Amino acid sequence: MTASHTAAPEATSDTRKFLVLLLGCIGVVYGDIGTSPLYAFREALRPFARNGAVHHDEVIGMISLMVWTLTILVTFKYVLFLLRADNDGEGGTLSLLALLFKKTGSYMPVLFFAGLIGSALFIGDAMITPALSVMSALEGLKLVTPAFSDYVLPMSAAIMVGVFAIQSKGTAAVSNFFGPITVLWFIVMAWGGIIHISDDWTILEALNPINALWFITHAGTVGFIILGAVFLTVTGAEALYADLGHFGRKPIQTAWFILVFPALALNYLGQGALVLTHPETISNPFYLLYPEWALLPVVILATMATIIASQAVITGAFSLARQAVHLGFLPRLAIKFTSETNTGQIYVPAVNAILFIGVIILIFSFGDSESLATAYGISVTGAMVVTTLMSFQFLRSVRGYSAFTAALFLLPLLIIEAVFLAANLLKIHDGGWVPVVLALAIMMIMWTWTKGSKYLKEKTARNDIPLATFIKSVESSIDRESDHAPVTVPGTAVFLTSVPDRTPGVLLHNIKHNHVLHDQNVILTVWTQDKPYVPDSERVEMTRLSKRFIRLDITFGFMDEPNVTKALTLCKKKGFKFEIMQTSFYLGRRNLISTPNTGLAGWQEHLYIGLADFSIDPSAYFKLPPNRVVELGEQVAI
């Protein structure tokens, strides 16, 4: 009896938790893809509009292509397949890259650059999506009254200021507020489609994939061009994968099948039927779905929905940035945790500021959503192609498929995405260069940081003294009471180093300048594993090196908070107690100097030094007590 009573509250609690996650993921994960009906069909219609009308078969073909693009690329690839390609619950390009490195057991340059390209393209998408979505929504005000025309740009910018200003409040606060609004948005979209499908029942022929194939084969060159606009229907799929760690697979899948996909399909079918019956509505088929009395409320709701669309890619960018930092692709950035219970909910101030500046520049540079839509698509299609290529290695290394079977499974997806990418590349001269330039810049930053860090580590290692040799020498001099022996002082000193078998430079400098050695000296190395989380039982490993020296290895996952102070409390279980207020943490601060004829190109040296200066202080990153940190500087030429 007691057990049954206990099980009931637990079941209720689990159900409540699932519903909260379900509502939250609708508000964040599907915000981006949920606003594509605002502009996708409108942009696809433009090349086919002849004297204000479009041929019946072309409309059927376009709607069919949109519905089946959603079905194949989002439902099959992301919702059913890629959401299962998780790294201990985390998703996204870099998480998949870390999983592949872990499973293959080797560093593969092809995978490395694929991961960089995919993550760089996603950041470009995170800049364009907010600008395009919000402007598309606010342009509906022009239908209410032309007097609003001059206010679309300043209102878009003002909304973006508000969106980026609230990011520090955390994903939970945002999703709790946005979730119900997005649910209403999808219901309203479905309603708008349902009330117009009966305008022309032949629109239901679009559910037959043969019509999509007919459109591709008969539309000619113009049809190939509009594939770039058709692809706008699946923008947000990469954010869906990147936000996996925030909400989990089941809530994301459930939301897609019970609400998101049906609402999107119904809305596109309704837009198609409306245009077939009333060709004059091709100028803005989405807003003209609704009766005049509902137009202003729908514009307001759409604006709120586009704010949520921005949230989807912003939270995805935060997750990607944290993964990039822990995997060594970016310098240490300030990362703030906004939830006490969900470590996936974070805020990265530097990324937030960069995205905000980029979005504002795009809004005022392009001026309207039609112009910005031409710049969209390349980043999304490029990222999708990259994840498909990486999925080939995933099927082989993780799932154990043969190369032939993996290729057979993924080749149809790759062909579809390659066609969409080629169609989007035709828009390079019309603004498509923007995401390409953004992605190249971000990729160059990641590559430079990775290459520079590797070179710097190799260079400093050449001058390092083996730790075993140093310990033997210094212990011997103290025991012999040599004149050159350092003075032993009470307390514990912790020396952070990335190369545990070599003597930390800061330890050598401390003895050289201060001529002292503590009773207990800890050589501390912090490791990041190729998995999201490391349990406390595997966090700390201690090795006694001598009477006065201990080696301590602390391991975090790439999604863990690297809190060294908290990790040190686990040492008690290993039989070693740290009294924080009697412990000094010694950090080396390197002053990097650019010199000719080194391992990096001149421009890369300056970029790497700039990135190093941008990196936050190690004591803040590792959560060390600031009043117990001692920093000793040295100059290093690169």
Side-chain angles (χ1 to χ4, degrees), residues 386-505:
V386 167
T387 53
T388 299
L389 292 173
M390 294 175 70
S391 296
F392 174 77
Q393 189 62 36
F394 167 79
L395 289 176
R396 293 190 63 199
S397 302
V398 181
R399 294 295 173 85
Y401 286 26
S402 67
F404 176 78
T405 305
L408 194 65
F409 178 75
L410 293 173
L411 190 58
L413 279 175
L414 185 61
I415 291 173
I416 293 171
E417 291 170 351
V419 170
F420 276 121
L421 178 60
N424 277 285
L425 287 174
L426 295 176
K427 301 186 292 185
I428 283 284
H429 64 285
D430 289 327
W433 57 270
V434 172
V436 174
V437 170
L438 286 173
L440 286 175
I442 295 165
M443 183 179 171
M444 193 61 64
I445 289 172
M446 290 185 173
W447 178 52
T448 297
W449 182 257
T450 305
K451 182 179 179 182
S453 298
K454 181 181 179 182
Y455 170 75
L456 186 61
K457 184 176 181 179
E458 291 174 350
K459 180 175 181 179
T460 54
R462 290 196 292 266
N463 301 320
D464 286 343
I465 301 172
L467 183 60
T469 303
F470 170 80
I471 292 176
K472 183 178 180 181
S473 174
V474 73
E475 291 273 27
S476 176
S477 66
I478 294 174
D479 292 340
R480 290 186 290 105
E481 298 182 354
S482 169
D483 292 339
H484 300 289
V487 177
T488 304
V489 296
T492 301
V494 178
F495 300 91
L496 271 72
T497 179
S498 60
V499 188
D501 60 344
R502 298 283 174 170
T503 308

Side-chain angles (χ1 to χ4, degrees), residues 72-348:
I72 295 171
L73 292 187
V74 182
T75 304
F76 291 157
K77 178 184 175 181
Y78 284 92
V79 176
L80 295 178
F81 170 53
L82 271 183
L83 287 184
R84 296 183 179 276
D86 65 295
N87 191 345
D88 290 345
E90 290 297 327
T93 305
L94 290 184
S95 182
L96 181 58
L97 178 64
L99 176 63
L100 295 179
F101 281 163
K102 180 172 61 177
K103 292 297 181 180
T104 57
S106 61
Y107 179 86
M108 302 175 67
V110 174
L111 285 178
F112 170 72
F113 280 104
L116 290 193
I117 293 169
S119 54
L121 287 168
F122 181 83
I123 295 295
D125 177 28
M127 286 188 184
I128 298 176
T129 293
L132 174 61
S133 300
V134 171
M135 283 197 292
S136 296
L138 289 177
E139 283 167 357
L141 291 172
K142 298 177 183 179
L143 299 177
V144 178
T145 169
F148 281 115
S149 299
D150 295 334
Y151 297 98
V152 171
L153 279 184
M155 288 176 67
S156 298
I159 287 173
M160 285 296 96
V161 170
V163 167
F164 285 97
I166 65 171
Q167 292 307 311
S168 60
K169 303 299 181 183
T171 305
V174 172
S175 63
N176 289 340
F177 176 71
F178 283 156
I181 296 173
T182 314
V183 170
L184 177 61
W185 168 248
F186 281 114
I187 292 172
V188 168
M189 277 202 301
W191 168 62
I194 289 171
I195 61 177
H196 283 283
I197 289 177
S198 59
D199 291 354
D200 192 330
W201 287 105
T202 62
I203 194 64
L204 295 179
E205 295 175 12
L207 298 177
N208 186 343
I210 293 176
N211 287 295
L213 294 173
W214 177 91
F215 179 82
I216 294 173
T217 55
H218 288 78
T221 304
V222 177
F224 182 72
I225 293 173
I226 68 102
L227 283 177
V230 170
F231 191 79
L232 294 174
T233 58
V234 296
T235 56
E238 279 295 314
L240 180 157
Y241 184 36
D243 280 332
L244 174 60
H246 289 260
F247 300 99
R249 181 171 64 247
K250 287 188 177 180
I252 295 175
Q253 290 177 329
T254 303
W256 174 255
F257 286 113
I258 69 170
L259 178 63
V260 180
F261 187 32
L264 291 172
L266 287 170
N267 189 269
Y268 284 124
L269 290 169
Q271 288 191 52
L274 177 67
V275 169
L276 287 176
T277 309
H278 304 285
E280 69 277 7
T281 61
I282 61 174
S283 61
N284 204 324
F286 177 83
Y287 280 120
L288 294 175
L289 285 173
Y290 300 95
E292 189 173 345
W293 62 266
L295 188 56
L296 183 58
V298 171
V299 170
I300 295 172
L301 182 61
T303 303
M304 299 175 74
T306 55
I307 293 172
I308 300 163
S310 306
Q311 185 64 47
V313 290
I314 292 171
T315 55
F318 289 163
S319 295
L320 185 144
R322 178 168 70 166
Q323 294 173 24
V325 169
H326 290 336
L327 293 172
F329 297 161
L330 286 175
R332 289 186 295 265
L333 302 174
I335 299 173
K336 299 182 178 180
F337 291 78
T338 58
S339 171
E340 294 182 359
T341 57
N342 190 339
T343 58
Q345 297 179 5
I346 58 173
Y347 167 63
V348 186

Side-chain angles (χ1 to χ4, degrees), residues 61-75:
M62 268 189 279
I63 296 297
S64 181
L65 192 56
M66 288 180 166
V67 171
W68 282 98
T69 298
L70 282 169
T71 302
I72 295 171
L73 292 187
V74 182
T75 304

Side-chain angles (χ1 to χ4, degrees), residues 25-39:
C25 82
I26 292 173
V28 175
V29 174
Y30 290 114
D32 188 2
I33 202 169
T35 56
S36 55
L38 282 166
Y39 47 78

Side-chain angles (χ1 to χ4, degrees), residues 573-586:
K573 296 180 180 180
K574 305 286 184 178
F576 187 84
K577 296 183 179 180
F578 276 98
E579 296 296 338
I580 293 297
M581 298 315 295
Q582 295 181 15
T583 301
S584 298
F585 295 86
Y586 286 82

